Amino acid sequence: MAKLTLTTFVSLDGVMQAPGGPDEDTTGGFEYGGWMVPFADDGLGAFINEVFDRSGAYLLGRRTYDIFSSYWPEVTDPQDPVAARLNTLPKHVVSRTLTAPEWENTTVVRGDVPAEVAQLKEQTAEGELQIHGSGTLAQFLLAHGLIDEVNLIVHPVYLGSGRRLFADGGEPTAFELTGARTTGSGIAIHTYRPAGRARFGTFEQDV
């Protein structure tokens, strides 16, 4: 069974909305799209290449799928480690409205999404089943305990507004740190594994 992983860019205050460009996602009047671009460096590129090298299939939300499908099919360099995999490996997009995806090797996931995703994990024989971005989908699958590993790529910028990965009202959950590195521009990359319910205590001394 494949491991389901999530890789996402976040700001210091946890915003994941529209990291790559000003018009990527302006939902809610978001004005700060493209906030990750000034920090992109060789260290980030090396990590992203490592992540895609482990991929066996992709699971995407509709908005992220539309962004990817409008760009990556145009990148035809066979030596590009991201494009070479995205354009050839199976892609699964969660959508109620998409009926005829044009990007090669795309299937639409609808209906009982948790059950379908659990089945996709079983069916992916080699590599990871990877989520990239896809905030709404990521929140939903985290709540259902289906994500096995999270790569948080934390950028040194505070935004003050925007869609966050961990929204208010979620189930308190502990995570185990399994990897960490920093890049030259100050990006901190943390890899976490869910470790069950969060626990709580006190430093107060018994009287």
Side-chain angles (χ1 to χ4, degrees):
M1 181 172 68
K3 178 167 60 175
L4 178 58
T5 66
L6 167 65
T7 300
T8 188
F9 306 115
V10 294
S11 67
L12 287 177
D13 51 333
V15 175
M16 64 179 300
Q17 185 171 356
D23 299 322
E24 194 173 72
D25 180 4
T26 58
T27 302
F30 187 66
E31 300 177 346
Y32 308 125
W35 48 266
M36 67 153 288
V37 176
F39 303 101
D41 61 8
D42 290 342
L44 173 62
F47 179 77
I48 294 299
N49 289 345
E50 290 171 21
V51 170
F52 276 90
D53 281 346
R54 299 194 297 267
S55 62
Y58 304 99
L59 177 64
L60 303 171
R62 175 64 188 273
R63 186 185 298 275
T64 300
Y65 176 82
D66 286 346
I67 293 168
F68 279 19
S69 64
S70 69
Y71 176 79
W72 287 108
E74 304 302 318
V75 182
T76 57
D77 180 2
Q79 302 304 313
D80 187 300
V82 176
R85 289 183 171 269
L86 275 175
N87 288 327
T88 57
L89 290 176
K91 293 165 285 290
H92 310 281
V93 55
V94 177
S95 175
R96 296 190 198 90
T97 57
L98 184 64
T99 57
E102 297 181 0
W103 199 4
E104 186 180 6
N105 291 332
T106 296
T107 60
V108 179
V109 177
R110 53 171 57 92
D112 186 346
V113 173
E116 292 289 333
V117 170
Q119 187 173 16
L120 287 175
K121 292 173 69 171
E122 292 283 353
Q123 292 174 348
T124 303
E126 297 182 5
E128 298 175 354
L129 177 60
Q130 295 185 349
I131 305 168
H132 292 271
S134 308
T136 301
L137 175 63
Q139 289 175 345
F140 179 78
L141 295 180
L142 281 167
H144 282 79
L146 287 166
I147 294 180
D148 302 299
E149 192 170 85
V150 179
N151 296 309
L152 289 183
I153 305 174
V154 185
H155 288 62
V157 59
Y158 168 83
L159 298 174
S161 66
R163 182 181 296 115
R164 288 168 169 79
L165 174 60
F166 297 107
D168 291 344
E171 188 75 23
T173 304
F175 287 81
E176 175 188 0
L177 181 68
T178 61
R181 69 176 78 173
T182 57
T183 77
S185 66
I187 298 169
I189 302 171
H190 304 296
T191 300
Y192 293 102
R193 227 175 6 222
R197 289 291 303 273
R199 297 183 295 171
F200 306 93
T202 180
F203 288 113
E204 292 181 5
Q205 297 292 325
D206 293 334
V207 178

